[in-house]
Amino acid sequence: LSPSRLSPSRLPEVSRIPDSPSRRAVSKAYADYLTFDRSRATYRTPERVSARGALFSEEVTRRSYSPVKADDEEELVRVLREVIQVERELENVKGELVLRPDFNLLDAFRLLDVAERGRVTFSEFERALNRLGVVPLREDLDLLCNRLEVRRDGLIHYSDFAALLTPRDVALAALLRDRKPSYATQSPFLPETERLYVQLLRRLTAAEGAVELARQRLTARRLYSLSDAFDSLDRLHRGYVTREEFSRVLEKYGVFATRRDLNSLVERFSPKGVVSRSEFTRELSPKREEASRLTSTLRRPVF
């Protein structure tokens, strides 16, 4: 009988070559080739892989593909980081103000609503701010009015103003909600409390201007698409993104946000806890022209 094909006498001569640097190099190259060949199997056509392998390959592709360029994605992260910073500063001032025992939301709005109707026009809001020593830029004031005019009726209502001033911290929000107004005929707040309140009003107007500049910088990039930016976050194509998706893209570029920061970021886009494509696009689209046009037509007295 002829020797077996696996008999030591039939093994390639290379197996009897003593260990040497050249042999180790050949072995490494061959191992690299095998590794490369196995990785290529993931991208073969579906009929040449199992159903489970095909699903895994599709999932990897969906998770790893980004429809925006790296520098565009980095600019998106820069904008999100600026929004987080703005919201963090506002939350710090709100928290400090709530810890003042004489501060309450109803008296805070009464300083703006002289007629005590529970709502103010844009003109009345501007005059009240000026009376308190807050003189913001016209563009920033228009943006703040646009954000506060939730019902799109040309008015700023108490409930919408109170929602903006309420901290996101549950304990602080509950503390503020239980406060009773003083109904004082003069200034309802102590001097330090009034100073913090005025500071918060200044921060609110400046924050809207800062976020708007970030929006304009983002959308001014050549061929930039907010829809593609949303797709870069929504890797599973669910039609919405959560805190986890925002956290993933932020960490990818070295930005590590706390859960509180992520909650503030998501609520900037949507109060529901998840952000749809339309909400994402609407929040990151520049608003200065729209706000200026809206407020210029709605600065009128209401009787």
Side-chain angles (χ1 to χ4, degrees), residues 3 17 27 37 62 65 98 102 114 132 137 141 159 171 220 235 249 270 277:
I17 298 176
S27 300
D37 187 55
R62 290 167 64 183
Y65 172 71
V98 170
D102 56 323
V114 179
L132 290 171
L137 295 174
L141 179 60
S159 58
R235 295 294 180 86
V249 74
S270 170
R277 182 185 300 272

Side-chain angles (χ1 to χ4, degrees), residues 38-291:
R38 284 195 296 271
S39 66
R40 288 176 60 189
T42 308
Y43 300 96
R44 289 176 186 169
T45 55
E47 56 268 23
R48 296 189 61 184
V49 294
S50 65
R52 181 178 181 183
L55 290 175
F56 176 75
S57 175
E58 179 186 0
E59 185 70 12
V60 168
T61 302
R62 290 167 64 183
R63 285 181 179 274
S64 59
Y65 172 71
S66 177
V68 296
K69 297 184 296 184
D71 57 339
D72 287 339
E73 189 174 62
E74 187 174 4
E75 183 62 33
L76 172 63
V77 169
R78 190 176 294 113
V79 169
L80 296 177
R81 182 180 61 190
E82 291 177 14
V83 173
I84 288 175
Q85 183 63 31
V86 164
E87 293 294 332
R88 184 185 297 163
E89 292 175 356
L90 287 175
E91 286 299 304
N92 289 339
V93 179
K94 290 177 188 178
E96 193 175 354
L97 192 55
V98 170
L99 294 178
R100 301 289 303 178
D102 56 323
F103 180 75
N104 64 87
L105 291 171
L106 192 55
D107 281 340
F109 191 73
R110 286 177 60 240
L111 288 176
L112 308 175
D113 180 20
V114 179
E116 298 188 8
R117 297 190 305 265
R119 62 191 186 275
V120 293
T121 66
F122 293 165
S123 296
E124 291 170 339
F125 184 63
E126 181 179 9
R127 288 196 296 270
L129 290 180
N130 294 343
R131 190 167 56 249
L132 290 171
V134 181
V135 187
L137 295 174
R138 166 66 64 187
E139 295 83 358
D140 295 351
L141 179 60
D142 289 345
L143 290 166
L144 180 59
C145 289
N146 185 52
R147 184 176 181 187
L148 285 169
E149 193 218 2
V150 177
R151 309 183 194 190
R152 292 295 179 256
D153 57 357
L155 300 170
I156 299 172
H157 293 261
Y158 164 73
S159 58
D160 301 324
F161 181 79
L164 186 62
L165 263 64
T166 301
R168 292 186 173 89
D169 183 274
V170 177
L172 291 176
L175 182 64
L176 183 60
R177 190 169 52 247
D178 294 339
R179 294 267 176 83
K180 304 300 181 184
S182 65
Y183 296 109
T185 54
Q186 302 298 323
S187 177
F189 300 141
L190 295 173
E192 178 61 18
T193 305
E194 184 170 336
R195 184 191 68 80
L196 286 173
Y197 179 48
V198 170
Q199 180 184 346
L200 177 59
L201 293 173
R202 288 198 181 102
R203 289 282 184 93
L204 285 170
T205 54
E208 293 304 311
V211 173
E212 177 64 14
L213 288 177
R215 293 190 193 107
Q216 293 181 355
R217 192 179 69 243
L218 179 66
T219 55
R221 298 178 69 86
R222 185 172 179 270
L223 302 178
Y224 192 86
S225 168
L226 289 174
S227 182
D228 286 347
F230 179 84
D231 288 336
S232 71
L233 294 171
D234 183 22
R235 295 294 180 86
L236 298 180
H237 307 289
R238 295 176 297 184
Y240 63 88
V241 293
T242 63
R243 288 187 299 265
E244 288 69 27
E245 277 82 15
F246 281 111
S247 178
R248 176 191 57 77
V249 74
L250 288 168
E251 290 181 7
K252 180 179 176 181
Y253 291 90
V255 180
F256 298 92
T258 65
R259 187 173 183 84
R260 175 182 169 184
D261 290 336
L262 292 171
N263 287 339
S264 298
L265 177 63
V266 169
E267 288 181 25
R268 178 89 191 190
F269 289 88
S270 170
K272 303 191 299 289
V274 296
V275 182
S276 67
R277 182 185 300 272
S278 60
E279 290 168 336
F280 180 85
T281 304
R282 182 170 60 249
E283 176 58 32
L284 290 183
S285 297
K287 295 177 170 51
R288 181 152 287 171
E289 273 188 39
E290 172 194 350

